[in-house]
C-alpha cells in the first residue's frame, strides 16, 4: 500500500500565509508557486490539473486571435504559449489533450467555430482529468462535469436550445448524459449518480437571478469539498480542496467583492480549526 505524504507544516501554516493584516491576500498564482516549492513533484502535478482550465482559455484565445485578456493563474505562461506556436519551435510540447485538440481543429476556421472549439477542448480536458491518478481529484472533476451538464440541460430546456450540442459527453459519465439528453430532469434519477443531487436540481429549476444561482451552486461545491476531505488532515487532498476554494474566492472577488470576502472569511475560519483533531478521534477520550 502506498503511503501518502503528509504536509503538517504547510497546512498548519496556511492561516499565517493567507491572513496577515499587513499584506494583501495571496493570489492563486503565488500560492501555486509556493506549492511547487513545498510539494513532492507527483503531488504538485495534481495541483496543476486545477489550473489547466485557465490554460484552455488561453489556448483558445491565442489560436482564435481574439486578443482577450490573458488568464495568469494558468500553468503555461504567455511567453511559453507564444513560443509553442512560433516558427522556430519544431515540435509543440503541450499536454496531450491540447495536442489532440489542435490536431482536430487544424482544418477548421476557428474564428467561425468558437463554440465548437470550446466544446471539443472542454471534452478532451475532462477525459484527461478523469484519468488522473488521485481518486479525490478524479471524483471532483466528475462532480464538476455532471454539475455543469445538469445546469446546461435546464438552461437548454428554458431557452429551447438543442441539448445534445451543448452538453459535454464523456464516456465515463454516459448514464448521466443519457438521462439529460432524454430530458429526464428529475432529481430522483440521479440519486446514485450525483452527490447533492436534490439541492442541485432545486437550484437548476429555480427562477432566481444568475448571481444568486451561482452563489448557491458554489455553496454546493464548497459543501462537497468539506464532506470529501473530512478524513484527510494533512495529505494532498486537503491542499487540493483548499486550492479549489481559493480559485472560487478569487473569482467572486472579481464578480462580487462582498461574496468573495464572505468566502475568504469562511476559508480562514476553516483553516484555523481544520488541523485541530476531531474530538471523536481523540486518543485521550
Amino acid at each position: 500500500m502506498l503511503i501518502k505524504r503528509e504536509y503538517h507544516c504547510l497546512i498548519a501554516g496556511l492561516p499565517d500565509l493567507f491572513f496577515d493584516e499587513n499584506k494583501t491576500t495571496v493570489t492563486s498564482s503565488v500560492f501555486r508557486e509556493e506549492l511547487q516549492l513545498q510539494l513532492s513533484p507527483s503531488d504538485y502535478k495534481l495541483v496543476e490539473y486545477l489550473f489547466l482550465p485557465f490554460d484552455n482559455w488561453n489556448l483558445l484565445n491565442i489560436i482564435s486571435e481574439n486578443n482577450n485578456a490573458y488568464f495568469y493563474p494558468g500553468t503555461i505562461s504567455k511567453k511559453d504559449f507564444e513560443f509553442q506556436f512560433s516558427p522556430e519551435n519544431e515540435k509543440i510540447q503541450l499536454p496531450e489533450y491540447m495536442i489532440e485538440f489542435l490536431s482536430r481543429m487544424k482544418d477548421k476556421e476557428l474564428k467561425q467555430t468558437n463554440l465548437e472549439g470550446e466544446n471539443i477542448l472542454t471534452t478532451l480536458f475532462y477525459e484527461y482529468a478523469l484519468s488522473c491518478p488521485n481518486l479525490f481529484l478524479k471524483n471532483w472533476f466528475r462532480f464538476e462535469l455532471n454539475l455543469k451538464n445538469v445546469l446546461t440541460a435546464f438552461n437548454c430546456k428554458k431557452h429551447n436550445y438543442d441539448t445534445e450540442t451543448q452538453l459535454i459527453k464523456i464516456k465515463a459519465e454516459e448514464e448521466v448524459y443519457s438521462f439529460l439528453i432524454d430530458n429526464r430532469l428529475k432529481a430522483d434519477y440521479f440519486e446514485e449518480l450525483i452527490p447533492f443531487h436534490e439541492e442541485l436540481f432545486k437550484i437548476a429549476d429555480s427562477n432566481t437571478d444568475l448571481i444568486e444561482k451561482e452563489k448557491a451552486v458554489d455553496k454546493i461545491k464548497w459543501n462537497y469539498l468539506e464532506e470529501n476531505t473530512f478524513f484527510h488532515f494533512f495529505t494532498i487532498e486537503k491542499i487540493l480542496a483548499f486550492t479549489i476554494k481559493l480559485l472560487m474566492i478569487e473569482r467572486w472577488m472579481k464578480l462580487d467583492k462582498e461574496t468573495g470576502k464572505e468566502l475568504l472569511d469562511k476559508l480562514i475560519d476553516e483553516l484555523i480549526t481544520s488541523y485541530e483533531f476531531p474530538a471523536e478521534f481523540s486518543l485521550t477520550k
Side-chain angles (χ1 to χ4, degrees):
M1 181 179 177
L2 183 65
I3 299 176
K4 292 187 175 183
R5 289 176 179 263
E6 294 190 344
Y7 299 95
H8 294 260
C9 294
L10 173 61
I11 292 174
L14 285 175
D16 294 332
L17 180 62
F18 281 84
F19 194 58
D20 187 332
E21 292 182 358
N22 296 320
K23 299 178 183 177
T24 56
T25 303
V26 69
T27 65
S28 59
S29 295
V30 172
F31 182 59
R32 180 167 57 81
E33 291 172 2
E34 182 71 21
L35 293 181
Q36 188 172 14
L37 295 175
Q38 299 203 37
L39 300 180
S40 70
S42 59
D43 281 345
Y44 177 70
K45 183 69 176 177
L46 297 176
V47 172
E48 286 191 317
Y49 276 88
L50 299 174
F51 291 85
L52 286 173
F54 300 105
D55 291 325
N56 295 342
W57 173 268
N58 290 330
L59 175 60
L60 285 170
N61 187 34
I62 288 174
I63 66 175
S64 61
E65 300 177 356
N66 283 333
N67 295 318
N68 292 325
Y70 195 85
F71 274 96
Y72 282 97
T75 65
I76 305 170
S77 70
K78 187 175 182 180
K79 182 179 179 181
D80 286 343
F81 251 137
E82 289 173 346
F83 172 75
Q84 292 298 320
F85 297 100
S86 64
E88 59 266 28
N89 183 32
E90 296 180 357
K91 183 179 179 181
I92 292 179
Q93 293 179 317
L94 292 171
E96 59 191 49
Y97 75 91
M98 290 188 182
I99 295 175
E100 172 66 18
F101 166 72
L102 292 171
S103 176
R104 291 194 191 185
M105 300 303 292
K106 185 179 296 183
D107 298 324
K108 296 179 182 290
E109 288 291 335
L110 194 62
K111 291 181 181 179
Q112 300 173 5
T113 57
N114 278 333
L115 181 58
E116 180 187 3
E118 184 177 346
N119 285 345
I120 291 173
L121 182 56
T122 302
T123 300
L124 291 170
F125 164 72
Y126 275 108
E127 288 175 348
Y128 176 77
L130 289 176
S131 68
C132 77
N134 179 274
L135 182 60
F136 166 80
L137 196 55
K138 184 184 297 185
N139 286 337
W140 163 255
F141 283 121
R142 177 177 290 113
F143 175 64
E144 185 184 53
L145 168 66
N146 287 329
L147 189 152
K148 287 176 183 288
N149 273 343
V150 167
L151 295 171
T152 299
F154 273 91
N155 284 333
C156 287
K157 180 181 179 181
K158 181 178 180 180
H159 299 289
N160 199 29
Y161 294 151
D162 178 20
T163 307
E164 191 168 357
T165 60
Q166 301 297 319
L167 297 187
I168 304 301
K169 184 179 181 181
I170 304 296
K171 188 174 183 179
E173 295 302 305
E174 277 189 321
E175 191 171 2
V176 171
Y177 177 85
S178 297
F179 281 144
L180 296 176
I181 287 294
D182 291 340
N183 207 29
R184 301 185 192 182
L185 304 183
K186 300 289 184 183
D188 293 347
Y189 288 116
F190 301 85
E191 183 175 359
E192 302 297 325
L193 299 172
I194 305 178
F196 298 94
H197 62 287
E198 290 185 356
E199 296 95 322
L200 173 59
F201 275 76
K202 285 179 182 177
I203 294 167
D205 198 28
S206 69
N207 292 319
T208 55
D209 66 74
L210 183 60
I211 291 293
E212 290 304 315
K213 185 171 286 191
E214 289 195 30
K215 287 180 185 178
V217 169
D218 278 355
K219 183 179 179 181
I220 290 178
K221 292 180 180 179
W222 198 287
N223 290 339
Y224 173 91
L225 294 169
E226 284 295 288
E227 184 175 294
N228 285 274
T229 54
F230 185 79
F231 292 105
H232 295 286
F233 300 106
F234 298 103
T235 59
I236 187 60
E237 287 78 10
K238 201 76 170 181
I239 295 168
L240 292 169
F242 181 89
T243 304
I244 296 168
K245 289 177 181 177
L246 180 61
L247 288 168
M248 200 182 302
I249 290 170
E250 206 164 59
R251 176 173 168 270
W252 278 108
M253 286 292 190
K254 296 175 182 176
L255 291 176
D256 181 343
K257 289 187 178 181
E258 184 177 344
T259 301
K261 181 64 166 61
E262 289 174 3
L263 288 174
L264 180 59
D265 290 343
K266 181 177 175 64
L267 182 66
I268 297 301
D269 185 59
E270 288 175 0
L271 283 173
I272 293 171
T273 59
S274 65
Y275 47 85
E276 295 176 2
F277 211 63
E280 59 264 36
F281 301 111
S282 173
L283 297 177
T284 59
K285 186 176 178 180

